Amino acid sequence: MDSSFEQVIVGSDEFPGDAELSLLETLDHVLNRGLVIAGEITISVADVDLIFVGLNVLVSSVETAHEVLRERQQQSLPTSELAERPGD
Amino acid sequence: MSESVPITSEQNKYPSGDGYYVYCIAETISAEEIVVDSIPAAIEEGADLELITRDKLTAIASRVPMSIFGEEALAERLSNAAWTAIRAMRHEQVVEHFAKQTSVVPLRFGTIYLDRSGVEQMLSDQKEQLTAIIVKLQGREEWGVNVYCDRDALLENITSVSARLREMAAAAKQASPGESYLRQKKIDALRADEAKVEIERAIGEIERKLTARSDGVTKLRILTVETTEHGDLKAKFAFLVLKVEFEHFRFAAEELARQMETAGIRIELTGPWPAYNFAAP
């Protein structure tokens, strides 16, 4: 059934049906939105637009999308485990 | 024999030392509680997450090498889409980790300070604005609404969808054969225009009805034309929704989708997101 309404949960551990959409929306949020506080390094808005357009093309390459989405599946480390990691 | 080591442009380009990459800002009490349980992976392998606190506000940050995140080095890396996409995903993971449990101010990608004191200074300077945003976003989340239109489906049904064309069709039926033929021709000529009108009307209705169920709305510009299996992307919104009210919001969206199905309109909800689109003071 082709529904006219679709709810894509992107913020949870479940993998949404449309992985490409999830990736694009994440990129849009992180690269284009969010508060801009003038840190000591800044990225120009024009640059980000170009990056984002480029990413749209890139994301249609399924391989790359999967590579990036694998990052999404990284589990959070319980703090107790962190304490046992070798020091820097 | 003395050998002087020329300072190459490489060395200027890639400064040594570390800086601090900041993901988001939250209330200190909440941030400290959250990291007791678990800490997400940082933006760069080998980096850790740190809390940089100034009074009631805490920046969630990572110490990162300036050889990667210095201004020029970063600009170069950003031209590599895969590199950028992976860092963006990691940034999002961190923000979501905190946003799930407390109100955060999500920062845009690429906020970097040369040292901790810079971050602390920012928290002090921006204290009022940051606190106001945290309060504004408390108990709320962002939901994206994408509106698509299947143009073929719309055109097929437009004579029944458009009130104006419905009237004209009714009048054409009443007329004599010759007259009726001419009226029908006129209807056909207007279909494309009416389709446009209908799309705009539908988008307006979606915006109005969902705004009534939310705490804030922003219409987003569409950067690239997107054609999917659902049709063309016609409008994109971000809504700020109280978590406890989300079911009402979703119900309203579902209802709109049902009503607009014949018009080939499809509504897609994405989220929940940390409120990136509502993070401005």
Side-chain angles (χ1 to χ4, degrees), chain A residues 2-4 6-10 25 29-31 33-37 40 68 71-72 74 77 79 85, chain B residues 35-36 39 41 48 89-90 93 106 108-109 112-114 142 146 250 257 266-267 269 271 273 276-277:
Chain A
D2 183 31
S3 148
S4 57
E6 191 182 328
Q7 182 182 321
V8 179
I9 310 281
V10 297
E25 298 260 343
H29 277 103
V30 173
L31 295 173
R33 328 279 174 198
L35 183 65
V36 178
I37 290 187
E40 282 148 358
V68 175
E71 295 291 324
R72 246 197 115 70
Q74 257 184 6
L77 297 173
T79 313
R85 268 174 28 182
Chain B
V35 298
V36 169
I39 300 184
D48 287 323
M89 293 299 275
R90 289 176 184 162
Q93 298 280 63
R108 182 143 44 153
F109 184 89
I112 296 153
Y113 289 83
L114 299 179
E142 178 178 314
N146 298 329
R250 186 169 67 97
R266 191 192 159 103
I267 298 175
L269 228 56
W273 298 98
Y276 283 92
N277 277 293

Side-chain angles (χ1 to χ4, degrees), chain B residues 47 50 63 79 81 99 112 114 131 152 165 169 205 212 215 237 266 272:
Chain B
E50 308 191 20
R63 203 162 130 191
S79 62
I112 296 153
L114 299 179
T131 305
D152 291 338
L165 293 184
E205 186 180 349
D215 242 19
F237 296 97
R266 191 192 159 103

Side-chain angles (χ1 to χ4, degrees), chain A residues 2-11 21-23 25-43 45 49 51-53 55-56 58 64 67-69 71-74 76-79 82 85 88, chain B residues 35-39 41 48 71 78 81 85-86 88-93 96-97 100 105-114 122 142 146 221 223-224 230 236 250 253-254 257 261 266-273 276-277 279:
Chain A
D2 183 31
S3 148
S4 57
F5 176 80
E6 191 182 328
Q7 182 182 321
V8 179
I9 310 281
V10 297
L21 166 71
S22 156
L23 175 56
E25 298 260 343
T26 297
L27 296 173
D28 183 42
H29 277 103
V30 173
L31 295 173
N32 290 331
R33 328 279 174 198
L35 183 65
V36 178
I37 290 187
E40 282 148 358
I41 310 288
T42 46
I43 302 175
V45 173
D49 270 358
I51 293 164
F52 193 70
V53 170
L55 280 166
N56 269 297
L58 172 87
T64 312
E67 186 196 340
V68 175
L69 285 166
E71 295 291 324
R72 246 197 115 70
Q73 293 177 291
Q74 257 184 6
S76 294
L77 297 173
T79 313
L82 269 182
R85 268 174 28 182
D88 317 26
Chain B
V35 298
V36 169
D37 289 330
S38 71
I39 300 184
D48 287 323
E71 189 140 20
L78 288 174
I86 288 172
M89 293 299 275
R90 289 176 184 162
H91 177 115
E92 171 65 8
Q93 298 280 63
E96 275 184 26
H97 183 87
K100 279 189 175 96
V105 181
L107 297 192
R108 182 143 44 153
F109 184 89
T111 306
I112 296 153
Y113 289 83
L114 299 179
M122 175 271 290
E142 178 178 314
N146 298 329
R221 68 194 164 120
L223 261 185
T224 52
H230 318 314
K236 212 170 150 70
R250 186 169 67 97
E254 280 179 337
E261 191 159 6
R266 191 192 159 103
I267 298 175
E268 190 171 57
L269 228 56
T270 70
W273 298 98
Y276 283 92
N277 277 293

